[in-house]
Amino acid sequence: MIKYTIWDKTNIGENYPGITSPLTYSFVRRSYQAVYKNFCLRIGVSPTEIREKNYIFENLVGHIHGQLYYNLRSWYELLSFLPGERQTSTWFDTMLDPVVRRSIHEITDRKYSFPFRIYRIYIGVRFAILSVLFPILRREFDRKSSVLFSSGYSAHFSQMIDQELIGWFRVLEDRFLSVWAIPIINDFRLMVSYGMLVQASRLWVSDPDEVLRRLSTYKSMPISVIILRDSQHIANMIRETPLYFSLFQKTDATEVWKKLSHPSFRDLKYLIDAYLEQYGDRMANELKLEEPSFQENPIRFIELLKRYAKNKKIIQKDRTLFSETSKHWWQRLILYSLTRYVSDAMHQRELFRLRRLQAFRVAKNVYLECARRFVNRKKLHTSQDIFFLTHDEIMDSALHPSLAGSLFSLVQKRKHIQSEYAKYILPQLVLTDSSGTIVRQKVQSKISVKKNRNLSGKPASAGTREGEVVVMDTLDTKTDIAGKILITKTTDPGWTILFPLLSGVITQYGGMLSHAAIVARELEIPCIVGVSGVTELLKSGDRIFMNGTTGEIHRLEKV
């Protein structure tokens, strides 16, 4: 029987939507491989078993027609390191929500020896201990990562010779990927606790979806909302100061940025510079190395501030962890405890996402320094061409320039291939054969859909809204979105900057733990996720009624 490789982008598509450059893919693939090996070592998997199953770690992610996908077979094999493979796979499916879930028969057919079962139980106990001691692990991560980031930001790349630069980068990379096993432990504790909460809610609560819709980060605001608060503070200063408000309302963004250098705008410029220094990397597609950040292109942030200045500041909601009553006190206690645990894991995950982004900034700076040198040596036409090379190709060209082939032709070839890939729409799930050829799924240049009047998805944040929709494939700070309902395929943390301007959010992909759902709940914006084909069924200017409690969407006649 021919076995196909099953590729799913349900989760990874949130961070890497659409076409992703060869450099980003190669960097991500290396990172996944190293990080999950270190995670397995932390929970007690033997180095011998890790070496024997290296193929799992090498194939966690793939680059299919220029887009990043998870290799589901490799992920399920990774889960087999933990005890209770059947239950663990169920929790994984609950959190990831892939298009095709793992067959229970495939799991139950496995036969393990008694010593092997004891070995797996040992791993499970060790993981449980690490989960309980997670606050200690978190402090370890903060201590070590702070040192690494300080080293990365203060390094003078231009003063290093090629071998020194690459050697320094490899040491920093190894150390960071080692400590990044701690965020992976948090991801798994979130997977387990969320899976248990879903199961318990379905058993004991009359409206289990309401429990999940109330999930919030109980300790404090998620970092995404803190970043919003800081940007709103700048917008409030602009709104409340006539000189600033006049500048932002009567001048285009490019001219505003130039005029901010004038002494009369010194205080405002200081706040904007401080924001860009701390959060300037947070924007849409932020984990794609090829995407320019707000730091690199501050005009986009000025465009956003111009819209913020016209709107009210964020109103932070009161936090209610759990209010649904169940029949017995012990059920309520378990549900409350699980909700707190899930909320804490969500809070930690948001913090780790920002740290990951900062790590990507260091890596990007190194790659751009290599690009600058390659341009000076006539190996590349522009610095942006570096993103069409892989990590290994860049390292080899820097360390062994006489052995490296022509980068010009390689870059041009990949630009052509990427332009061809951009013409196609890939489905959420694809199957490939042993040669990597897509089978059983058609790659279509257009999607033909029947325009039904009613749609539905997963209710992620309660509330109802009626209004005009704006459909976005990529984040555009120039588009007028104030008071409208955003419709997009998926959002990463960088899209959060738009949320204060929106009246509702609908995504084609995602689940209750997707970033859009989390931030929408914090800001009390109605949100529906997982609405199949919504970006093709609706277009900007359409009017709809959305119900974030039931997940229903009704198209209305235009006035």
Side-chain angles (χ1 to χ4, degrees):
M1 180 180 177
I2 299 176
K3 287 190 176 181
Y4 298 115
T5 303
I6 304 174
W7 303 95
D8 188 295
K9 63 175 179 178
T10 303
N11 182 273
I12 197 169
E14 181 176 311
N15 292 320
Y16 304 95
I19 300 295
T20 300
S21 72
L23 178 54
T24 296
Y25 165 65
S26 63
F27 181 72
V28 169
R29 185 171 181 264
R30 282 172 52 83
S31 300
Y32 271 74
Q33 183 176 350
V35 162
Y36 281 93
K37 281 184 179 179
N38 290 327
F39 163 73
C40 288
L41 287 172
R42 282 256 185 176
I43 64 174
V45 180
S46 71
T48 301
E49 186 175 9
I50 291 175
R51 284 194 301 271
E52 290 174 350
K53 296 186 176 180
N54 189 54
Y55 65 90
I56 295 175
F57 305 98
E58 289 182 333
N59 295 286
L60 289 172
V61 296
H63 208 211
I64 311 299
H65 280 240
Q67 300 188 33
L68 264 60
Y69 280 79
Y70 279 149
N71 182 337
L72 287 186
R73 188 178 298 277
S74 292
W75 282 95
Y76 286 128
E77 286 291 323
L78 177 66
L79 292 174
S80 69
F81 287 124
L82 297 169
E85 188 177 356
R86 178 174 179 173
Q87 183 61 73
T88 305
S89 295
T90 300
W91 289 334
F92 176 81
D93 288 340
T94 300
M95 181 173 173
L96 188 70
D97 196 20
V99 176
V100 176
R101 300 195 172 205
R102 190 176 191 184
S103 170
I104 296 299
H105 299 292
E106 179 184 348
I107 301 172
T108 55
D109 286 344
R110 292 176 181 265
K111 302 296 182 183
Y112 297 124
S113 64
F114 180 74
F116 187 85
R117 291 175 183 269
I118 296 298
Y119 167 53
R120 284 293 187 258
I121 292 174
Y122 159 74
I123 292 174
V125 171
R126 183 158 172 155
F127 170 73
I129 293 173
L130 290 173
S131 297
V132 172
L133 299 178
F134 190 77
I136 297 175
L137 296 179
R138 173 69 213 218
R139 288 193 291 272
E140 176 191 344
F141 176 86
D142 288 339
R143 184 178 68 256
K144 291 182 177 179
S145 64
S146 295
V147 173
L148 294 173
F149 286 133
S150 176
S151 173
Y153 293 150
S154 62
H156 299 288
F157 300 145
S158 60
Q159 300 176 10
M160 299 180 183
I161 63 174
D162 290 354
Q163 291 80 0
E164 185 182 5
L165 175 64
I166 302 307
W168 173 88
F169 180 51
R170 285 176 173 172
V171 170
L172 192 71
E173 182 184 36
D174 288 343
R175 290 176 178 173
F176 185 80
L177 293 178
S178 175
V179 75
W180 198 259
I182 294 174
I184 303 303
I185 292 173
N186 183 68
D187 286 345
F188 273 80
R189 65 194 278 261
L190 175 59
M191 178 191 78
V192 172
S193 58
Y194 179 71
M196 294 175 67
L197 177 62
V198 170
Q199 290 174 331
S201 299
R202 290 172 179 171
L203 285 174
W204 300 333
V205 179
S206 58
D207 185 4
D209 288 339
E210 178 63 17
V211 176
L212 304 180
R213 284 195 298 272
R214 289 183 180 275
L215 284 175
S216 61
T217 52
Y218 76 96
K219 281 190 173 181
S220 62
M221 301 181 193
I223 187 64
S224 295
V225 178
I226 292 175
I227 294 174
L228 282 181
R229 182 196 60 190
D230 289 353
S231 64
Q232 290 288 304
H233 174 66
I234 299 174
N236 291 339
M237 174 182 275
I238 295 170
R239 188 185 305 111
E240 295 166 4
T241 307
L243 178 64
Y244 299 165
F245 189 76
S246 176
L247 173 67
F248 272 73
Q249 296 309 305
K250 297 180 180 180
T251 314
D252 67 70
T254 302
E255 193 64 24
V256 168
W257 180 248
K258 292 178 181 178
K259 290 187 175 182
L260 284 175
S261 300
H262 192 276
S264 57
F265 301 108
R266 180 181 57 201
D267 293 343
L268 178 59
K269 182 65 160 56
Y270 175 81
L271 282 180
I272 292 175
D273 286 344
Y275 177 92
L276 292 176
E277 175 62 28
Q278 189 169 9
Y279 304 125
D281 292 312
R282 170 130 290 182
M283 59 173 296
N285 302 333
E286 58 190 19
L287 294 182
K288 289 186 176 183
L289 297 172
E290 62 271 20
E291 291 288 335
S293 65
F294 279 147
Q295 270 195 334
E296 296 167 294
N297 184 12
I299 305 301
R300 297 184 67 183
F301 183 61
I302 298 300
E303 290 170 348
L304 191 69
L305 287 178
K306 284 169 65 68
R307 299 200 179 279
Y308 276 174
K310 296 179 181 179
N311 294 271
K312 296 179 180 179
K313 56 185 173 182
I314 299 173
I315 300 175
Q316 179 66 22
K317 69 171 186 177
D318 295 329
R319 297 172 183 280
T320 304
L321 272 178
F322 179 70
S323 61
E324 178 77 21
T325 58
S326 53
K327 189 175 295 186
H328 302 290
W329 67 267
W330 56 271
Q331 293 176 350
R332 293 195 295 273
L333 178 62
I334 292 173
L335 286 168
Y336 179 76
S337 299
L338 283 173
T339 304
R340 282 179 60 92
Y341 199 84
V342 170
S343 298
D344 176 64
M346 288 166 51
H347 173 73
Q348 299 295 339
R349 186 177 67 161
E350 291 297 301
L351 292 173
F352 286 134
R353 278 180 166 177
L354 184 61
R355 293 302 245 175
R356 177 177 58 180
L357 179 58
Q358 294 168 337
F360 272 52
R361 183 207 299 184
V362 175
K364 183 175 182 177
N365 289 340
V366 172
Y367 291 133
L368 287 176
E369 174 60 27
C370 291
R372 185 187 65 80
R373 299 182 186 194
F374 290 172
V375 171
N376 290 339
R377 297 167 188 170
K378 309 300 182 184
K379 288 186 173 184
L380 294 176
H381 290 298
T382 70
S383 294
Q384 295 303 303
D385 288 346
I386 199 78
F387 300 114
F388 291 91
L389 302 175
T390 66
H391 171 89
D392 289 340
E393 289 165 350
I394 295 170
M395 298 297 107
D396 288 345
S397 186
L399 295 175
H400 312 289
S402 61
L403 300 178
S406 172
L407 299 183
F408 287 119
S409 58
L410 186 57
V411 167
Q412 290 305 313
K413 179 181 178 181
R414 288 182 178 159
K415 284 183 177 180
H416 174 71
I417 293 173
Q418 182 165 301
S419 66
E420 290 298 311
Y421 286 158
K423 298 177 182 178
Y424 300 101
I425 299 174
L426 283 181
Q428 193 77 347
L429 178 140
V430 298
L431 280 67
T432 60
D433 59 21
S434 57
S435 67
T437 303
I438 295 178
V439 295
R440 293 192 180 180
Q441 295 285 338
K442 293 182 179 180
V443 184
Q444 301 174 325
S445 57
K446 291 184 178 180
I447 290 181
S448 176
V449 290
K450 183 180 179 180
K451 296 193 174 182
N452 297 316
R453 185 157 300 279
N454 298 330
L455 299 167
S456 64
K458 302 168 189 172
S461 180
T464 61
R465 288 292 185 276
E466 177 181 326
E468 181 181 335
V469 308
V470 55
V471 181
M472 280 190 185
D473 287 329
T474 58
L475 185 146
D476 182 3
T477 54
K478 294 181 180 180
T479 301
D480 181 14
I481 59 172
K484 298 179 182 179
I485 299 170
L486 173 68
I487 295 181
T488 187
K489 289 184 178 178
T490 185
T491 67
D492 65 10
W495 285 73
T496 304
I497 56 176
L498 298 183
F499 279 43
L501 302 171
L502 302 170
S503 63
V505 178
I506 299 173
T507 65
Q508 189 159 315
Y509 308 123
M512 299 298 289
L513 297 184
S514 64
H515 197 78
I518 292 172
V519 176
R521 288 194 292 268
E522 293 291 332
L523 302 181
E524 293 189 319
I525 301 171
C527 179
I528 303 173
V529 297
V531 184
S532 180
V534 67
T535 55
E536 289 83 34
L537 288 162
L538 297 175
K539 63 180 183 297
S540 294
D542 287 347
R543 292 186 61 80
I544 65 168
F545 172 83
M546 65 175 293
N547 189 327
T549 304
T550 64
E552 296 175 318
I553 303 166
H554 304 285
R555 195 198 320 258
L556 305 175
E557 296 293 343
K558 291 186 179 180
V559 179

